[in-house]
Amino acid sequence: MRLTPAVRNLRSFERRIRQTRMLARAIKSPHHPILAHVIPIRRCNLSCAYCNEYDKVSNPVPAAEMLRRIDLLAALGTGIITFSGGEPLLHPELDDMIRRIRAHGIIATLITNGYLLTPERIQRLNRAGLEHLQISIDNVQPDDVSNKSLKVLDKKLQWLAEYAEFDVNINSVLGAGVQSPADALTITRRALELGFETTVGIVHDHSGQLRFLRDEEKTVYDQIQSERKPAFWAFAYDNLFNRNMALGKPNDWHCRAGSRYLYICEDGLVHYCSQQRGYPAIPLEQYTHKDLEREYSTQKPCAPYCTISCVHRVAMIDLVRDKPREALANFFPPAESGAPARLPLGVKFLTSIFLPPEDGRPQSAAAKATAGAVMRLLGIK
């Protein structure tokens, strides 16, 4: 069944409320994972030349084991669980796993190459309760580097636009070695035309480190940034991380992998991320809040040139927790030196409620009462 605008808007509003609750809870307390990235199957139906996250032989993780891992993550207080692979749509019980995530009140998201999407499959994901899906598209025409091309996937994107009740993000990719870097701009424009969210990713090497962009790729990156209209969090991410990466500059940040971000491989081990597998490599059932606390403070030497956007975005929440005004000034830099940060209206409202006045005076009784009411509305104690 095709979605009416009213139904689509209602679903979007409900998702925004859940996401706001998750963010508020994450900002209030650093003692639980924000995002867990889980691999239900390592096998993939494609063989992209730059990818080191797949094989051609692995069986799906048994459904009972996947459900147990979801329950363990829920017990740790995890806010979001993302499935990827490999290709997660190859797992025959994926819908049951998504339903289990949603039964815990956790946000369920999926990263897929999109090849296996059909109208019927999209509607099954709707019924399971999926809330967000991402597809990275590498080029316009298939080539020796990648078959994740707009030519092959455009019909899938049209079906998503017609049937998906979940948010869809299309990630165009730079630095993958495809024949035409300008393809990323074409992909972004098509995603915007279909009404999707867009991001632009920069390919990393096999240790997760920045692979520097050529001049032509930098030009394409700048053009994409001038045309896309990112949402709040994506806009902030571009200012804080992506611009430096595009210029080949290091980022100064504290990686919270192993604490606020967990990567659980198909064997059920917790790792820092997809490119730093082997650390700390503790079975999920043995992972405790002591491990979360340890890794929250651990300095990761790979952080300055890291390109793993999921880990970056999680760290941004703790930047807001620890240094809210400084973080917001970095997220929304002023138009000129000395001017105030260019905060969106909604962010201005929230900071006026939850942050103490800049002049150091105590928060007013009215502001405290409003903050309490908003927190009760969001289900935050």
Side-chain angles (χ1 to χ4, degrees):
M1 182 180 70
R2 288 177 171 82
L3 297 181
T4 66
V7 171
R8 191 181 298 277
N9 289 338
L10 177 61
R11 297 286 189 272
S12 179
F13 176 75
E14 292 170 345
R15 285 194 299 274
R16 296 296 178 265
I17 292 295
R18 288 194 291 272
Q19 291 164 8
T20 302
R21 286 174 175 163
M22 182 278 298
L23 284 170
R25 179 170 167 263
I27 289 172
K28 187 172 186 290
S29 170
H31 302 298
H32 64 275
I34 296 170
L35 169 62
H37 199 134
V38 183
I39 308 302
I41 183 170
R42 186 61 68 183
R43 181 159 46 91
C44 188
N45 51 327
L46 300 181
S47 302
C48 300
Y50 58 82
C51 182
N52 66 341
E53 298 182 42
Y54 75 98
D55 66 28
K56 290 293 185 182
V57 297
S58 295
N59 292 321
V61 179
E65 176 60 23
M66 286 301 305
L67 296 178
R68 188 179 76 90
R69 291 175 190 176
I70 291 166
D71 293 345
L72 290 169
L73 289 168
L76 289 174
T78 306
I80 307 170
I81 295 179
T82 294
F83 289 134
S84 70
E87 173 46 55
L89 287 174
L90 288 172
H91 198 294
E93 276 78 46
L94 181 65
D95 295 356
D96 291 337
M97 289 144 48
I98 293 171
R99 276 189 283 270
R100 186 64 150 256
I101 293 171
R102 296 295 301 118
H104 283 294
I106 298 171
I107 294 171
T109 74
L110 179 68
I111 299 174
T112 173
N113 61 41
Y115 264 60
L116 301 178
L117 292 172
T118 63
E120 187 273 337
R121 191 69 188 88
I122 292 167
Q123 292 181 77
R124 282 172 50 196
L125 292 172
N126 289 339
R127 292 192 293 272
L130 187 70
E131 295 182 83
H132 187 274
L133 178 144
Q134 176 171 300
I135 301 175
S136 288
I137 303 179
D138 298 330
N139 46 31
V140 173
Q141 299 286 340
D143 60 23
D144 293 339
V145 173
S146 174
N147 287 318
K148 289 194 298 182
S149 65
L150 187 60
K151 176 183 178 181
V152 175
L153 291 170
D154 192 70
K155 189 60 180 179
K156 314 290 187 180
L157 302 186
Q158 294 176 49
W159 287 334
L160 285 167
E162 290 183 26
Y163 297 105
E165 297 179 15
F166 42 84
D167 290 329
V168 176
N169 182 74
I170 304 304
N171 185 58
S172 55
V173 180
L174 288 170
V178 299
Q179 295 175 3
S180 174
D183 283 2
L185 179 57
T186 302
I187 294 161
T188 297
R189 287 171 173 168
R190 179 56 173 155
L192 293 172
E193 180 184 352
L194 290 168
F196 297 139
E197 299 171 8
T198 65
T199 50
V200 54
I202 298 173
V203 167
H204 51 72
D205 65 19
H206 283 193
S207 64
Q209 297 294 279
L210 178 64
R211 185 179 292 175
F212 299 122
L213 297 182
R214 305 189 306 269
D215 288 343
E216 182 182 1
E217 292 165 335
K218 291 177 184 176
T219 299
V220 171
Y221 172 84
D222 289 340
Q223 185 62 35
I224 289 173
Q225 297 295 61
S226 71
E227 294 190 19
R228 61 190 284 261
K229 298 176 181 178
F232 157 72
W233 213 241
F235 179 81
Y237 176 74
D238 289 341
N239 286 324
L240 195 63
F241 285 101
N242 239 358
R243 294 188 192 283
N244 276 346
M245 288 192 292
L247 295 171
K249 296 181 178 179
N251 281 304
D252 182 13
W253 65 297
H254 190 118
C255 174
R256 307 292 183 182
S259 176
R260 302 289 257 172
Y261 173 90
L262 305 179
Y263 180 91
I264 295 91
C265 71
E266 65 273 31
D267 296 322
L269 304 178
V270 178
H271 308 270
Y272 284 160
C273 68
S274 64
Q275 303 306 308
Q276 294 293 331
R277 299 199 289 273
Y279 309 94
I282 296 172
L284 178 58
E285 63 268 22
Q286 298 175 19
Y287 215 73
T288 69
H289 283 89
K290 288 185 178 180
D291 297 303
L292 298 177
E293 296 292 335
R294 181 191 66 249
E295 296 302 339
Y296 186 87
S297 302
T298 300
Q299 296 284 341
K300 283 80 174 182
C302 49
Y305 287 98
C306 169
T307 71
I308 311 300
S309 63
C310 292
V311 192
H312 291 163
R313 291 172 190 270
V314 165
M316 289 167 63
I317 296 175
D318 284 310
L319 286 175
V320 174
R321 280 194 70 262
D322 297 339
K323 299 179 179 178
R325 295 198 185 278
E326 180 181 326
L328 290 171
N330 289 329
F331 292 175
F332 305 98
E336 56 187 40
S337 179
R342 296 177 293 178
L343 301 183
L345 184 60
V347 177
K348 284 184 180 179
F349 172 70
L350 291 173
T351 56
S352 69
I353 294 175
F354 292 110
L355 297 187
E358 290 187 82
D359 59 13
R361 291 183 299 176
Q363 193 176 38
S364 69
K368 288 182 179 179
T370 304
V374 171
M375 291 181 72
R376 286 192 296 274
L377 179 65
L378 295 175
I380 306 300
K381 298 180 180 179

